[in-house]
Amino acid sequence: MAPPPLLRAVIMGPPGSGKGTISARIIKHFGLKHLSSGDLLRDNMQRKTEVGILAKSYIDQGRLIPDDIMTRLMLNELKGLDRYNWLLDGFPRTVAQAEALDKECQIDTVIDLDVPFETIKCRLTARWIHPTSGRVYNLEFSPPKVQGIDDITGEPLVQRDDDKPETVTKRLQAYDAQTKPVLEYYREKGLLKSFSGTETNKIWPHIYTFLQTKLPDVSQKDAATPR
């Protein structure tokens, strides 16, 4: 009997949409290899590879990393995953990257987290941290006992630049401008599956049900044998 075809999936969603949480659950339940462009970039910059040094020079200037550099980085990594089901996260970010990926492999499905920008703004701007320990508070879900003060040390909390309202707005606008055409590209190919909602825990069961039609749940001992 022929083995089931391998799944080639992409997950997309704006910063703060719960992509990290959802990706972790997909990996746990369905055993996909997770390839995050952000993780891969950080690793290459740390190891000072040729691509890492090049990418860092753009980041240091506050410029976007060109499509050809990102594509080279990701496609090179994918060569080692040709025998696995995988999930791409953070790539492709532009139509040019999506077209380059298409030349190398056939994408089966694109999971789009469609979370309202207002929800994301509330979520990210409510986050404050204690810089010394890295403790994170959320004014909505897990606020400090005293506003603006760390529970343990009594030291003041700060808001990361990334979480300040004006920065969050800019990040969301940039995502919208850059990534909407990519969503459209996959929608036209019939590969886009959007999941709308304001809470990760309510979106997840729908994604889980959808992926069960493609792969067995490997996190359960009595997982169904793939047919």
Side-chain angles (χ1 to χ4, degrees):
M1 198 168 79
L6 292 167
L7 184 70
R8 308 300 191 212
V10 173
I11 187 165
M12 299 185 73
S17 61
K19 212 154 47 93
T21 306
I22 296 280
S23 295
R25 291 179 187 180
I26 290 174
I27 295 150
K28 178 189 165 200
H29 286 279
F30 298 101
L32 281 80
K33 296 282 181 188
H34 179 231
L35 189 55
S36 153
S37 61
D39 290 350
L40 196 55
L41 267 177
R42 280 187 287 276
D43 176 55
N44 274 267
M45 288 193 290
Q46 246 173 347
R47 291 191 292 117
K48 294 186 167 57
T49 64
E50 185 196 343
V51 174
I53 291 165
L54 207 51
K56 189 175 185 303
S57 70
Y58 283 95
I59 291 169
D60 288 348
Q61 293 169 49
R63 291 161 66 195
L64 287 174
I65 298 167
D67 287 334
D68 61 324
I69 295 175
M70 281 312 300
T71 302
R72 196 165 100 205
L73 182 70
M74 296 301 281
L75 293 183
N76 194 40
E77 201 68 19
L78 282 176
K79 281 180 189 151
L81 298 179
D82 58 347
R83 292 180 293 111
Y84 299 96
N85 297 308
W86 46 246
L87 177 69
L88 286 186
D89 177 353
F91 180 89
R93 277 219 171 122
T94 65
V95 173
Q97 290 176 11
E99 287 171 344
L101 180 60
D102 270 352
K103 287 192 181 109
E104 295 299 319
C105 57
Q106 174 64 53
I107 296 298
D108 303 302
T109 193
V110 178
I111 294 165
D112 168 40
L113 304 183
D114 181 21
V115 180
F117 278 7
E118 279 314 306
T119 301
I120 292 174
K121 273 186 203 170
C122 292
R123 206 180 269 178
L124 293 181
T125 55
R127 196 161 56 179
W128 289 73
I129 62 165
H130 175 243
T132 318
S133 66
R135 265 186 295 283
V136 178
Y137 296 88
N138 187 294
L139 302 187
E140 287 179 46
F141 314 119
S142 52
K145 289 171 189 152
V146 179
Q147 193 175 342
I149 300 293
D150 179 50
D151 287 353
I152 294 167
T153 63
E155 291 168 353
L157 300 174
V158 300
Q159 193 169 39
R160 290 185 342 181
D161 286 342
D162 264 7
D163 295 336
K164 287 178 178 165
E166 58 277 18
T167 313
V168 169
T169 302
K170 273 189 195 152
R171 284 168 74 200
L172 291 175
Q173 285 168 344
Y175 176 84
D176 207 31
Q178 201 183 26
T179 316
K180 257 213 175 120
V182 183
L183 294 175
E184 213 41 62
Y185 175 84
Y186 285 125
R187 187 178 282 117
E188 281 171 17
K189 287 176 169 283
L191 299 175
L192 192 71
K193 188 80 180 161
S194 285
F195 297 89
S196 305
T198 56
E199 292 175 48
T200 301
N201 284 342
K202 288 186 178 170
I203 294 174
W204 165 245
H206 298 285
I207 295 175
Y208 177 78
T209 303
F210 167 67
L211 285 174
Q212 269 195 311
T213 64
K214 299 180 175 293
L215 290 171
D217 183 340
V218 297
S219 71
Q220 296 169 358
K221 288 198 172 72
D222 56 351
T225 315
R227 279 186 285 281

